[in-house]
Amino acid sequence: MARAPGEEHARVAGTGRLTGGALVAGASVVAALGGLLFGYDTGVVAAALPYISDAFALGETMKQVVTAALLAGAVVGVIVGGKVADRLGRKRTLTGVTVLYALATLGSAVAPGAGWLIVSRVFLGVAIGISSLVVPTYIAELAPPRNRGRLVSLHQFMVTVGILMAYLVGYGLSESASWRWMIGVGVLPAVLMAVGLLGLPESPRWLLSHGKEAEARGVLVRTRRADEVEAEIAEIREAVRAEGRITYRELLGPRYRRWVSVGVVAAGASQVVGVNAIIYYVPTILEDEGFGKTAAIGVSVAIGVVNVLFTLPALLWIDRAGRRPWILGGTAVIVLALVAIGVVFLFPLQGATVSWLIVVLMIYESAFACSLGIAIWLVNSEIFPNNVRGQAASFGIVTHWAMNLVVSLTVLTLISALGASVVFWIYALLGALCLGYLYRWLPETKNRSLEEIEASLTTDRGDSTRAR
């Protein structure tokens, strides 16, 4: 990762504390472990569900309920998480979330029945929902503009790593059918994140918006070049003074409505293209088509590898190429891949058809990883006012989890009623509609401070071309 002069790995003399680029990068990695937890706990159900189904004699509806319980909790987590993060601070909120993660994961792993498992997954979802809102916000507020895109995108990269870890653990334990251990492994990264958070600073923007200027300056002294500190404090202070406190009604008013809608559409698009129909249910769908459990999980492992590998290019180059090329180009490929997946499902899954299905799934997942997978977190961490960023971003993040919930509760039922081809074509149509909206309104925000983005969007009154 490129560093400007003065941002080399350094430590404050005599203290052993990291400063500059080392501190920002380290804090971003630790915070992004929340994405790893998110990815692991949402992905592990794909590997564990066939065995949970056998253990608790679950029917099709209950399989969907067990999966969706986490997502229902995530919706609640996002709704409460914005206000909690804006009131208590980003760091304290994330610390509390790691505790809830660990307890809910253990509760899921030892569940004696489906009811206990569902309740535990609801609480796990609450932790995931709060984390998915606060982690990108915290990183965006701590990072300098020149590296903000790639550092925020670490969250999505860790999500993909978590999903891959879940698939690998599931594959390794598939022969023994040890679904409890599959779930329980998620406690380890929660503990690691909790320990790492102890040494992290609070967001300087949150500190300044709550009148703690001395503490904010102390964080900026450790994370910026000396000649940047006072200018950034003045910029944040002016933005806070201009905005005051904004209500939800005001966020939905004419001044901000356009940009709230962009955050909502970016988040919604990441779900209505059916990505979690694939992440959660590919082993189940393939097993229904005659695959063995281990072979079906093996396909998920391959998807997980592609997911990680194709998140990396966007992670490395999104601050150079910009947000729009990655997000819009990737979404176009997603739509085409969904059409192709629907065509493949018109034929029996055997021989060459299986090979074609795997190929188009890989194309789909690679395009998603470097576009909509990143878009939801990056867009919603950048385009809202500093003093209500957690509150405003919750509109987009709650849309993500709500649509995730809808997809998870309906995909198996819809496939049974309409057939897999029709379902994936519906996802393609919805993706095309979202692509058209984002092409018209998605702003380009590379190399701009959060205050510059805020000023341009709130004076724009809806003309997206000025923000590109």
Side-chain angles (χ1 to χ4, degrees), residues 290-349:
F291 278 57
K293 285 186 174 68
T294 301
I297 295 172
V299 173
S300 287
V301 171
I303 291 173
V305 171
V306 168
N307 205 6
V308 172
L309 291 179
F310 280 85
T311 301
L312 280 172
L315 182 71
L316 296 174
W317 295 320
I318 198 165
D319 283 317
R320 294 183 183 179
R323 285 46 164 164
R324 284 177 59 85
W326 283 103
I327 293 170
L328 299 179
T331 304
V333 175
I334 287 169
V335 171
L336 294 175
L338 285 168
V339 173
I341 291 170
V343 171
V344 172
F345 271 114
L346 290 174
F347 303 95
L349 288 185

Side-chain angles (χ1 to χ4, degrees), residues 362-412:
M362 297 307 169
I363 293 172
Y364 169 92
E365 196 61 39
S366 63
F368 182 88
C370 62
S371 60
L372 290 178
I374 286 176
I376 171 183
W377 316 115
L378 188 53
V379 170
N380 279 280
S381 69
E382 288 186 328
I383 65 174
F384 299 119
N386 289 323
N387 57 330
V388 290
R389 183 163 288 112
Q391 184 180 349
S394 66
F395 284 104
I397 310 303
V398 79
T399 300
H400 164 87
W401 288 112
M403 295 309 300
N404 193 335
L405 175 62
V406 170
V407 170
S408 300
L409 281 174
T410 60
V411 58
L412 296 181

